[in-house]
Amino acid sequence: MEADGWDLVEDAADADVAVVNTCGFVEAAKKDSVDALLEANDLKGHGRTQAVVAVGCMAERYGKDLAEALPEADGVLGFDDYTDISDRLQTILNGGIHASHTPRDRRKLLPISPADRQGSAASVSLPGHGPAAEEPQPAPADLPEGLAPASGPRAPLRRRLDGSPVASVKLASGCDRRCSFCAIPSFRGSFISRRPSDVLNETRWLAEQGVKEIMLVSENNTSYGKDLGDIRLLESLLPELAEVDGLERVRVSYLQPAEMRPGLIDVLTSTPKVMPYFDLSFQHSAPGVLRAMRRFGDTDRFLELLDTIRGKAPQAGVRSNFIVGFPGETEADLAELERFLNGARLDAIGVFGYSDEEGTEAATYDNKLDEEVVAERLARVSRLAEELVSQRAEERVDETVQVLVESVDDEGVYGRGAHQAPETDGQVLLTSGAGLRVGRMVEAKVVGTEGVDLVAEPLDGSLGCSEEAGR
């Protein structure tokens, strides 16, 4: 958009058009998205803002239905509108009407066989993906300062919105799994990888901007490369990313337990600068519930996987999310989940109560639990999870951790250890911070805990020294 002459402003009240990115999965996120659109709409008539436009997954998933249900939005743009978004916004700003799309199952836009997808992807809008190019193309001469060029003559550009030392990098989009509770594949489409050169080029640019840690994100990182002819491509890409000048950490999010393989575990636990961090999507551990979810595994197999990981990296960080109250879940199933949680020693746990997602297989199941039962089980497992992650944090007392400093202010110096992902897994409070600044790596000894958070004392030589020595 900036390359087309638009200016990004800090305050929405200073914008001609407010573009609201939305989420289309789970009710709480949908509500937040609607609230954000209504908040933006309140700006009209009180400032410069003339139009409010919805983009993102909720806009894609509901299209014209969202436009009809939410007249406060002057436009609802789906993924196919992104390549022409400047024209779309200008039309709306000029008082014109852009007809919102009729939603469709995006899994049907690409070939069923992953090996056939890359050649077909050029005709499908894939947010975050650019046209493939064998060699990086030079940036346009009039590219505004601070924008990241990517390969391809019209590839997506990137601007950093803050000075954080951490940034996400998109690895792939879509998902081929058919979990019975999940609607995401229907509006995000089939799985397709970004090319390694694109991921590397973006990472190099981020490092030049001062980023110290990248977080690789997608709906399923363990599938990376299968549509490029190499299901083990992540194992070769991670060491290359770790060698990018200026980068201190590479972290991988969202791994499928059923797709974990020995080689990937080896790379994640033994490669310098690649964090031994495992964001494993367990969802449950009772075999019957997992089968109903169209997933695989059980308590003992999951515990064996964790034993394998910790046998190679004892301090590895592990987090996961779980759904309780799934249709047909029995008290015995819940007890099996609790057995797993008690044995898993997870660093971070997210617990969600089941609710129907329209268009999913699970929404058609008969044996639904009463809402009161789901709420009770959610509260019960959430209490257990809070207790267990606090215990796991206490196990780390006396460990030495490498802390990436993320904030330095009157409230203290905070950062994260290798086992903690940004925003979701807790943080580390340093007991002293003389001479520290955001982006520094500090070696520290854990001396206490505050729930899931750690309190750590910087070791001699970590403070008041050069950045290089601080590493």
Short mmCIF file of all heavy atoms in Angstrom, two decimals, residues 77-138:
data_model
loop_
_atom_site.label_atom_id
_atom_site.label_comp_id
_atom_site.label_asym_id
_atom_site.label_seq_id
_atom_site.Cartn_x
_atom_site.Cartn_y
_atom_site.Cartn_z
N LEU A 77 -13.37 -7.00 2.49
CA LEU A 77 -12.45 -7.47 1.45
C LEU A 77 -11.91 -8.85 1.80
O LEU A 77 -11.33 -9.05 2.87
CB LEU A 77 -11.29 -6.49 1.26
CG LEU A 77 -11.66 -5.03 0.95
CD1 LEU A 77 -10.40 -4.21 0.73
CD2 LEU A 77 -12.58 -4.96 -0.27
N GLY A 78 -12.08 -9.81 0.89
CA GLY A 78 -11.53 -11.14 1.07
C GLY A 78 -10.11 -11.22 0.53
O GLY A 78 -9.56 -10.26 0.01
N PHE A 79 -9.52 -12.39 0.65
CA PHE A 79 -8.12 -12.57 0.24
C PHE A 79 -7.91 -12.24 -1.23
O PHE A 79 -6.86 -11.72 -1.62
CB PHE A 79 -7.68 -14.01 0.51
CG PHE A 79 -7.71 -14.41 1.96
CD1 PHE A 79 -7.78 -15.75 2.30
CD2 PHE A 79 -7.67 -13.47 2.97
CE1 PHE A 79 -7.81 -16.14 3.64
CE2 PHE A 79 -7.70 -13.84 4.31
CZ PHE A 79 -7.77 -15.19 4.64
N ASP A 80 -8.90 -12.55 -2.07
CA ASP A 80 -8.74 -12.30 -3.50
C ASP A 80 -8.69 -10.81 -3.83
O ASP A 80 -8.31 -10.44 -4.94
CB ASP A 80 -9.88 -12.96 -4.27
CG ASP A 80 -9.82 -14.48 -4.20
OD1 ASP A 80 -8.71 -15.03 -4.09
OD2 ASP A 80 -10.89 -15.13 -4.24
N ASP A 81 -9.08 -9.96 -2.89
CA ASP A 81 -9.03 -8.52 -3.10
C ASP A 81 -7.65 -7.93 -2.77
O ASP A 81 -7.38 -6.77 -3.09
CB ASP A 81 -10.07 -7.80 -2.22
CG ASP A 81 -11.49 -8.10 -2.66
OD1 ASP A 81 -11.77 -7.96 -3.86
OD2 ASP A 81 -12.31 -8.46 -1.80
N TYR A 82 -6.80 -8.71 -2.12
CA TYR A 82 -5.56 -8.14 -1.58
C TYR A 82 -4.64 -7.58 -2.66
O TYR A 82 -4.00 -6.55 -2.46
CB TYR A 82 -4.81 -9.19 -0.75
CG TYR A 82 -5.39 -9.43 0.63
CD1 TYR A 82 -6.63 -8.91 1.00
CD2 TYR A 82 -4.71 -10.21 1.56
CE1 TYR A 82 -7.16 -9.14 2.26
CE2 TYR A 82 -5.24 -10.44 2.83
CZ TYR A 82 -6.46 -9.91 3.17
OH TYR A 82 -6.98 -10.15 4.42
N THR A 83 -4.53 -8.27 -3.79
CA THR A 83 -3.60 -7.79 -4.82
C THR A 83 -4.04 -6.45 -5.40
O THR A 83 -3.22 -5.70 -5.91
CB THR A 83 -3.47 -8.83 -5.96
OG1 THR A 83 -4.78 -9.15 -6.45
CG2 THR A 83 -2.80 -10.10 -5.45
N ASP A 84 -5.34 -6.16 -5.30
CA ASP A 84 -5.87 -4.88 -5.80
C ASP A 84 -6.39 -4.02 -4.67
O ASP A 84 -7.30 -3.20 -4.86
CB ASP A 84 -7.00 -5.14 -6.80
CG ASP A 84 -6.54 -5.94 -8.00
OD1 ASP A 84 -5.50 -5.58 -8.58
OD2 ASP A 84 -7.22 -6.93 -8.35
N ILE A 85 -5.81 -4.17 -3.47
CA ILE A 85 -6.39 -3.51 -2.30
C ILE A 85 -6.37 -1.99 -2.41
O ILE A 85 -7.30 -1.31 -1.96
CB ILE A 85 -5.70 -3.99 -1.00
CG1 ILE A 85 -6.51 -3.51 0.22
CG2 ILE A 85 -4.25 -3.55 -0.94
CD1 ILE A 85 -6.09 -4.18 1.51
N SER A 86 -5.34 -1.43 -3.05
CA SER A 86 -5.29 0.03 -3.20
C SER A 86 -6.49 0.54 -4.00
O SER A 86 -7.14 1.52 -3.62
CB SER A 86 -3.99 0.46 -3.87
OG SER A 86 -2.89 0.24 -3.02
N ASP A 87 -6.78 -0.13 -5.11
CA ASP A 87 -7.93 0.26 -5.92
C ASP A 87 -9.24 0.07 -5.16
O ASP A 87 -10.15 0.89 -5.25
CB ASP A 87 -7.97 -0.55 -7.21
CG ASP A 87 -6.84 -0.18 -8.15
OD1 ASP A 87 -6.27 0.92 -8.00
OD2 ASP A 87 -6.52 -1.00 -9.04
N ARG A 88 -9.32 -1.04 -4.41
CA ARG A 88 -10.53 -1.30 -3.64
C ARG A 88 -10.77 -0.18 -2.61
O ARG A 88 -11.88 0.33 -2.47
CB ARG A 88 -10.42 -2.65 -2.91
CG ARG A 88 -10.22 -3.84 -3.82
CD ARG A 88 -11.51 -4.27 -4.49
NE ARG A 88 -11.34 -5.54 -5.18
CZ ARG A 88 -11.02 -5.68 -6.45
NH1 ARG A 88 -10.80 -4.61 -7.20
NH2 ARG A 88 -10.91 -6.88 -7.00
N LEU A 89 -9.73 0.19 -1.90
CA LEU A 89 -9.88 1.22 -0.87
C LEU A 89 -10.21 2.57 -1.48
O LEU A 89 -11.02 3.33 -0.94
CB LEU A 89 -8.60 1.32 -0.03
CG LEU A 89 -8.24 0.09 0.81
CD1 LEU A 89 -6.97 0.36 1.63
CD2 LEU A 89 -9.38 -0.31 1.73
N GLN A 90 -9.58 2.88 -2.61
CA GLN A 90 -9.86 4.16 -3.26
C GLN A 90 -11.31 4.23 -3.73
O GLN A 90 -11.97 5.27 -3.59
CB GLN A 90 -8.91 4.37 -4.44
CG GLN A 90 -8.85 5.81 -4.93
CD GLN A 90 -8.33 6.76 -3.86
OE1 GLN A 90 -7.20 6.61 -3.39
NE2 GLN A 90 -9.15 7.72 -3.45
N THR A 91 -11.81 3.11 -4.25
CA THR A 91 -13.21 3.07 -4.67
C THR A 91 -14.14 3.34 -3.49
O THR A 91 -15.09 4.14 -3.58
CB THR A 91 -13.54 1.70 -5.30
OG1 THR A 91 -12.77 1.53 -6.48
CG2 THR A 91 -15.02 1.58 -5.63
N ILE A 92 -13.88 2.67 -2.39
CA ILE A 92 -14.71 2.84 -1.19
C ILE A 92 -14.60 4.27 -0.66
O ILE A 92 -15.59 4.90 -0.28
CB ILE A 92 -14.30 1.81 -0.12
CG1 ILE A 92 -14.63 0.39 -0.61
CG2 ILE A 92 -14.98 2.10 1.22
CD1 ILE A 92 -14.01 -0.71 0.23
N LEU A 93 -13.39 4.80 -0.67
CA LEU A 93 -13.15 6.15 -0.16
C LEU A 93 -13.86 7.19 -1.02
O LEU A 93 -14.31 8.23 -0.52
CB LEU A 93 -11.65 6.42 -0.13
CG LEU A 93 -11.14 7.49 0.85
CD1 LEU A 93 -11.59 7.21 2.26
CD2 LEU A 93 -9.61 7.53 0.79
N ASN A 94 -13.99 6.90 -2.30
CA ASN A 94 -14.65 7.83 -3.22
C ASN A 94 -16.17 7.68 -3.20
O ASN A 94 -16.87 8.31 -4.01
CB ASN A 94 -14.14 7.62 -4.64
CG ASN A 94 -12.70 8.06 -4.80
OD1 ASN A 94 -12.19 8.86 -4.02
ND2 ASN A 94 -12.02 7.53 -5.81
N GLY A 95 -16.66 6.81 -2.30
CA GLY A 95 -18.10 6.65 -2.20
C GLY A 95 -18.67 5.52 -3.03
O GLY A 95 -19.88 5.31 -3.06
N GLY A 96 -17.80 4.80 -3.73
CA GLY A 96 -18.26 3.67 -4.51
C GLY A 96 -18.54 2.46 -3.65
O GLY A 96 -18.24 2.44 -2.45
N ILE A 97 -19.11 1.45 -4.25
CA ILE A 97 -19.45 0.21 -3.54
C ILE A 97 -18.68 -0.94 -4.15
O ILE A 97 -18.69 -1.14 -5.36
CB ILE A 97 -20.97 -0.06 -3.62
CG1 ILE A 97 -21.75 1.06 -2.92
CG2 ILE A 97 -21.29 -1.41 -2.98
CD1 ILE A 97 -23.25 0.90 -3.04
N HIS A 98 -18.00 -1.69 -3.28
CA HIS A 98 -17.35 -2.91 -3.73
C HIS A 98 -18.18 -4.09 -3.24
O HIS A 98 -18.36 -4.26 -2.03
CB HIS A 98 -15.93 -3.00 -3.19
CG HIS A 98 -15.27 -4.32 -3.49
ND1 HIS A 98 -14.96 -4.71 -4.77
CD2 HIS A 98 -14.92 -5.36 -2.68
CE1 HIS A 98 -14.42 -5.91 -4.74
NE2 HIS A 98 -14.39 -6.33 -3.48
N ALA A 99 -18.69 -4.88 -4.15
CA ALA A 99 -19.54 -6.01 -3.78
C ALA A 99 -18.70 -7.06 -3.05
O ALA A 99 -17.68 -7.54 -3.56
CB ALA A 99 -20.16 -6.62 -5.03
N SER A 100 -19.12 -7.39 -1.84
CA SER A 100 -18.41 -8.39 -1.05
C SER A 100 -18.58 -9.77 -1.68
O SER A 100 -19.60 -10.07 -2.31
CB SER A 100 -18.93 -8.40 0.38
OG SER A 100 -18.75 -7.13 0.98
N HIS A 101 -17.60 -10.62 -1.48
CA HIS A 101 -17.58 -11.93 -2.13
C HIS A 101 -18.52 -12.92 -1.43
O HIS A 101 -18.87 -12.75 -0.26
CB HIS A 101 -16.16 -12.49 -2.13
CG HIS A 101 -15.65 -12.81 -0.75
ND1 HIS A 101 -15.27 -11.86 0.15
CD2 HIS A 101 -15.49 -14.01 -0.12
CE1 HIS A 101 -14.89 -12.43 1.28
NE2 HIS A 101 -15.01 -13.74 1.15
N THR A 102 -18.89 -13.94 -2.16
CA THR A 102 -19.60 -15.08 -1.59
C THR A 102 -18.56 -16.08 -1.11
O THR A 102 -17.72 -16.53 -1.90
CB THR A 102 -20.52 -15.74 -2.63
OG1 THR A 102 -21.49 -14.79 -3.06
CG2 THR A 102 -21.21 -16.95 -2.04
N PRO A 103 -18.57 -16.43 0.16
CA PRO A 103 -17.55 -17.34 0.68
C PRO A 103 -17.54 -18.68 -0.05
O PRO A 103 -18.57 -19.16 -0.52
CB PRO A 103 -17.95 -17.52 2.15
CG PRO A 103 -18.75 -16.30 2.47
CD PRO A 103 -19.49 -15.97 1.22
N ARG A 104 -16.36 -19.28 -0.13
CA ARG A 104 -16.21 -20.59 -0.76
C ARG A 104 -15.15 -21.37 -0.01
O ARG A 104 -14.36 -20.80 0.74
CB ARG A 104 -15.80 -20.43 -2.23
CG ARG A 104 -14.55 -19.58 -2.42
CD ARG A 104 -14.16 -19.45 -3.87
NE ARG A 104 -13.08 -18.49 -4.07
CZ ARG A 104 -12.41 -18.38 -5.20
NH1 ARG A 104 -12.70 -19.14 -6.23
NH2 ARG A 104 -11.44 -17.48 -5.32
N ASP A 105 -15.15 -22.65 -0.21
CA ASP A 105 -14.17 -23.53 0.44
C ASP A 105 -12.84 -23.38 -0.29
O ASP A 105 -12.67 -23.87 -1.42
CB ASP A 105 -14.66 -24.97 0.39
CG ASP A 105 -13.79 -25.91 1.23
OD1 ASP A 105 -12.63 -25.55 1.50
OD2 ASP A 105 -14.28 -27.00 1.59
N ARG A 106 -11.88 -22.73 0.34
CA ARG A 106 -10.61 -22.45 -0.33
C ARG A 106 -9.72 -23.68 -0.47
O ARG A 106 -8.70 -23.64 -1.15
CB ARG A 106 -9.86 -21.31 0.39
CG ARG A 106 -10.63 -19.99 0.36
CD ARG A 106 -9.77 -18.83 0.84
NE ARG A 106 -8.72 -18.48 -0.09
CZ ARG A 106 -8.87 -17.64 -1.11
NH1 ARG A 106 -10.05 -17.08 -1.35
NH2 ARG A 106 -7.85 -17.35 -1.89
N ARG A 107 -10.10 -24.78 0.17
CA ARG A 107 -9.34 -26.02 -0.02
C ARG A 107 -9.45 -26.54 -1.45
O ARG A 107 -8.62 -27.33 -1.89
CB ARG A 107 -9.85 -27.10 0.95
CG ARG A 107 -9.50 -26.83 2.40
CD ARG A 107 -10.17 -27.81 3.32
NE ARG A 107 -11.63 -27.65 3.34
CZ ARG A 107 -12.44 -28.26 4.19
NH1 ARG A 107 -11.93 -29.08 5.10
NH2 ARG A 107 -13.74 -28.06 4.17
N LYS A 108 -10.48 -26.09 -2.15
CA LYS A 108 -10.72 -26.59 -3.50
C LYS A 108 -9.99 -25.77 -4.56
O LYS A 108 -10.11 -26.06 -5.76
CB LYS A 108 -12.22 -26.59 -3.79
CG LYS A 108 -13.01 -27.49 -2.84
CD LYS A 108 -14.51 -27.41 -3.12
CE LYS A 108 -15.30 -28.31 -2.17
NZ LYS A 108 -16.76 -28.22 -2.41
N LEU A 109 -9.25 -24.74 -4.14
CA LEU A 109 -8.59 -23.87 -5.12
C LEU A 109 -7.25 -24.40 -5.59
O LEU A 109 -6.73 -23.97 -6.62
CB LEU A 109 -8.39 -22.47 -4.52
CG LEU A 109 -9.67 -21.75 -4.05
CD1 LEU A 109 -9.32 -20.35 -3.55
CD2 LEU A 109 -10.69 -21.68 -5.17
N LEU A 110 -6.67 -25.32 -4.85
CA LEU A 110 -5.37 -25.88 -5.20
C LEU A 110 -5.50 -27.39 -5.38
O LEU A 110 -6.41 -28.01 -4.82
CB LEU A 110 -4.34 -25.57 -4.11
CG LEU A 110 -3.92 -24.11 -3.99
CD1 LEU A 110 -3.10 -23.89 -2.72
CD2 LEU A 110 -3.13 -23.67 -5.21
N PRO A 111 -4.60 -28.01 -6.13
CA PRO A 111 -4.67 -29.46 -6.34
C PRO A 111 -4.62 -30.23 -5.03
O PRO A 111 -4.01 -29.77 -4.05
CB PRO A 111 -3.43 -29.75 -7.20
CG PRO A 111 -3.13 -28.45 -7.89
CD PRO A 111 -3.51 -27.38 -6.92
N ILE A 112 -5.24 -31.40 -5.03
CA ILE A 112 -5.22 -32.24 -3.83
C ILE A 112 -3.80 -32.67 -3.51
O ILE A 112 -3.37 -32.69 -2.36
CB ILE A 112 -6.14 -33.46 -4.02
CG1 ILE A 112 -7.59 -33.01 -4.12
CG2 ILE A 112 -5.96 -34.45 -2.87
CD1 ILE A 112 -8.57 -34.14 -4.38
N SER A 113 -3.03 -33.01 -4.53
CA SER A 113 -1.66 -33.45 -4.33
C SER A 113 -0.76 -32.25 -4.01
O SER A 113 -0.66 -31.32 -4.80
CB SER A 113 -1.12 -34.14 -5.59
OG SER A 113 0.26 -34.36 -5.48
N PRO A 114 -0.09 -32.24 -2.83
CA PRO A 114 0.78 -31.12 -2.49
C PRO A 114 1.86 -30.85 -3.54
O PRO A 114 2.22 -29.71 -3.78
CB PRO A 114 1.41 -31.55 -1.15
CG PRO A 114 0.40 -32.48 -0.57
CD PRO A 114 -0.18 -33.21 -1.73
N ALA A 115 2.33 -31.91 -4.19
CA ALA A 115 3.41 -31.75 -5.17
C ALA A 115 2.98 -30.93 -6.38
O ALA A 115 3.82 -30.37 -7.09
CB ALA A 115 3.91 -33.13 -5.63
N ASP A 116 1.67 -30.82 -6.61
CA ASP A 116 1.17 -30.09 -7.78
C ASP A 116 0.78 -28.65 -7.46
O ASP A 116 0.34 -27.92 -8.34
CB ASP A 116 -0.06 -30.80 -8.36
CG ASP A 116 0.27 -32.18 -8.89
OD1 ASP A 116 1.43 -32.39 -9.29
OD2 ASP A 116 -0.62 -33.05 -8.87
N ARG A 117 0.95 -28.23 -6.20
CA ARG A 117 0.38 -26.94 -5.79
C ARG A 117 1.22 -25.74 -6.17
O ARG A 117 0.68 -24.68 -6.50
CB ARG A 117 0.15 -26.94 -4.27
CG ARG A 117 -0.99 -27.84 -3.86
CD ARG A 117 -1.17 -27.85 -2.37
NE ARG A 117 -2.14 -28.90 -2.00
CZ ARG A 117 -2.24 -29.40 -0.79
NH1 ARG A 117 -1.44 -28.98 0.18
NH2 ARG A 117 -3.13 -30.34 -0.53
N GLN A 118 2.54 -25.85 -6.06
CA GLN A 118 3.36 -24.66 -6.28
C GLN A 118 3.12 -24.05 -7.66
O GLN A 118 3.04 -22.84 -7.81
CB GLN A 118 4.84 -25.00 -6.08
CG GLN A 118 5.23 -25.23 -4.62
CD GLN A 118 5.30 -23.97 -3.81
OE1 GLN A 118 5.54 -22.89 -4.34
NE2 GLN A 118 5.09 -24.09 -2.50
N GLY A 119 2.97 -24.89 -8.68
CA GLY A 119 2.76 -24.37 -10.02
C GLY A 119 1.41 -23.72 -10.20
O GLY A 119 1.22 -22.89 -11.08
N SER A 120 0.45 -24.12 -9.35
CA SER A 120 -0.91 -23.57 -9.46
C SER A 120 -1.11 -22.36 -8.56
O SER A 120 -2.13 -21.67 -8.68
CB SER A 120 -1.94 -24.65 -9.09
OG SER A 120 -1.77 -25.81 -9.88
N ALA A 121 -0.18 -22.12 -7.66
CA ALA A 121 -0.38 -21.10 -6.64
C ALA A 121 -0.43 -19.69 -7.20
O ALA A 121 -1.00 -18.79 -6.58
CB ALA A 121 0.72 -21.19 -5.58
N ALA A 122 0.15 -19.47 -8.38
CA ALA A 122 0.19 -18.12 -8.95
C ALA A 122 -1.20 -17.57 -9.21
O ALA A 122 -1.40 -16.36 -9.21
CB ALA A 122 1.01 -18.13 -10.23
N SER A 123 -2.17 -18.46 -9.41
CA SER A 123 -3.52 -18.02 -9.72
C SER A 123 -4.41 -17.91 -8.49
O SER A 123 -5.59 -17.59 -8.59
CB SER A 123 -4.18 -18.98 -10.72
OG SER A 123 -4.26 -20.29 -10.16
N VAL A 124 -3.85 -18.18 -7.31
CA VAL A 124 -4.62 -18.16 -6.07
C VAL A 124 -4.02 -17.13 -5.12
O VAL A 124 -2.80 -17.07 -4.95
CB VAL A 124 -4.61 -19.56 -5.40
CG1 VAL A 124 -5.34 -19.52 -4.08
CG2 VAL A 124 -5.23 -20.58 -6.33
N SER A 125 -4.87 -16.33 -4.51
CA SER A 125 -4.39 -15.35 -3.55
C SER A 125 -3.98 -16.04 -2.26
O SER A 125 -4.78 -16.72 -1.62
CB SER A 125 -5.49 -14.33 -3.25
OG SER A 125 -5.04 -13.37 -2.31
N LEU A 126 -2.71 -15.90 -1.90
CA LEU A 126 -2.16 -16.50 -0.69
C LEU A 126 -1.56 -15.39 0.16
O LEU A 126 -0.43 -14.97 -0.07
CB LEU A 126 -1.09 -17.54 -1.04
CG LEU A 126 -1.54 -18.73 -1.88
CD1 LEU A 126 -0.33 -19.51 -2.37
CD2 LEU A 126 -2.48 -19.62 -1.08
N PRO A 127 -2.30 -14.86 1.12
CA PRO A 127 -1.78 -13.75 1.93
C PRO A 127 -0.43 -14.08 2.54
O PRO A 127 -0.24 -15.15 3.14
CB PRO A 127 -2.86 -13.60 3.01
CG PRO A 127 -4.10 -14.09 2.38
CD PRO A 127 -3.67 -15.23 1.51
N GLY A 128 0.52 -13.18 2.35
CA GLY A 128 1.85 -13.39 2.89
C GLY A 128 2.81 -14.08 1.95
O GLY A 128 4.00 -14.19 2.24
N HIS A 129 2.31 -14.55 0.82
CA HIS A 129 3.17 -15.19 -0.17
C HIS A 129 3.35 -14.24 -1.35
O HIS A 129 2.42 -13.55 -1.76
CB HIS A 129 2.54 -16.49 -0.70
CG HIS A 129 2.39 -17.55 0.34
ND1 HIS A 129 3.04 -18.76 0.28
CD2 HIS A 129 1.66 -17.59 1.48
CE1 HIS A 129 2.71 -19.50 1.33
NE2 HIS A 129 1.87 -18.80 2.07
N GLY A 130 4.53 -14.26 -1.92
CA GLY A 130 4.77 -13.45 -3.10
C GLY A 130 5.02 -14.33 -4.30
O GLY A 130 5.23 -15.54 -4.17
N PRO A 131 5.01 -13.76 -5.50
CA PRO A 131 5.33 -14.54 -6.70
C PRO A 131 6.71 -15.16 -6.59
O PRO A 131 7.64 -14.53 -6.08
CB PRO A 131 5.30 -13.49 -7.82
CG PRO A 131 4.46 -12.37 -7.28
CD PRO A 131 4.72 -12.36 -5.81
N ALA A 132 6.83 -16.38 -7.03
CA ALA A 132 8.12 -17.06 -6.93
C ALA A 132 9.12 -16.45 -7.89
O ALA A 132 8.79 -16.02 -8.98
CB ALA A 132 7.95 -18.55 -7.24
N ALA A 133 10.36 -16.40 -7.45
CA ALA A 133 11.44 -15.91 -8.32
C ALA A 133 12.70 -16.68 -7.97
O ALA A 133 12.97 -16.97 -6.82
CB ALA A 133 11.66 -14.42 -8.13
N GLU A 134 13.47 -17.02 -8.99
CA GLU A 134 14.69 -17.77 -8.75
C GLU A 134 15.72 -16.94 -7.99
O GLU A 134 16.45 -17.43 -7.15
CB GLU A 134 15.28 -18.24 -10.08
CG GLU A 134 14.40 -19.24 -10.82
CD GLU A 134 14.18 -20.50 -10.00
OE1 GLU A 134 15.12 -20.95 -9.33
OE2 GLU A 134 13.05 -21.01 -10.03
N GLU A 135 15.77 -15.65 -8.30
CA GLU A 135 16.72 -14.76 -7.65
C GLU A 135 15.97 -13.56 -7.08
O GLU A 135 14.99 -13.10 -7.67
CB GLU A 135 17.79 -14.27 -8.64
CG GLU A 135 18.64 -15.38 -9.23
CD GLU A 135 19.52 -16.04 -8.20
OE1 GLU A 135 19.80 -15.39 -7.17
OE2 GLU A 135 19.93 -17.19 -8.43
N PRO A 136 16.41 -13.01 -5.93
CA PRO A 136 15.76 -11.82 -5.40
C PRO A 136 15.84 -10.67 -6.40
O PRO A 136 16.85 -10.47 -7.06
CB PRO A 136 16.59 -11.50 -4.15
CG PRO A 136 17.25 -12.80 -3.79
CD PRO A 136 17.50 -13.51 -5.08
N GLN A 137 14.73 -9.95 -6.54
CA GLN A 137 14.67 -8.82 -7.45
C GLN A 137 15.09 -7.54 -6.71
O GLN A 137 14.85 -7.39 -5.53
CB GLN A 137 13.25 -8.65 -8.00
CG GLN A 137 12.74 -9.89 -8.74
CD GLN A 137 13.56 -10.16 -9.98
OE1 GLN A 137 13.80 -9.27 -10.79
NE2 GLN A 137 14.00 -11.41 -10.14
N PRO A 138 15.72 -6.59 -7.41
CA PRO A 138 16.09 -5.34 -6.75
C PRO A 138 14.85 -4.57 -6.33
O PRO A 138 13.80 -4.66 -6.97
CB PRO A 138 16.87 -4.59 -7.83
CG PRO A 138 16.37 -5.17 -9.13
CD PRO A 138 16.09 -6.62 -8.84
#
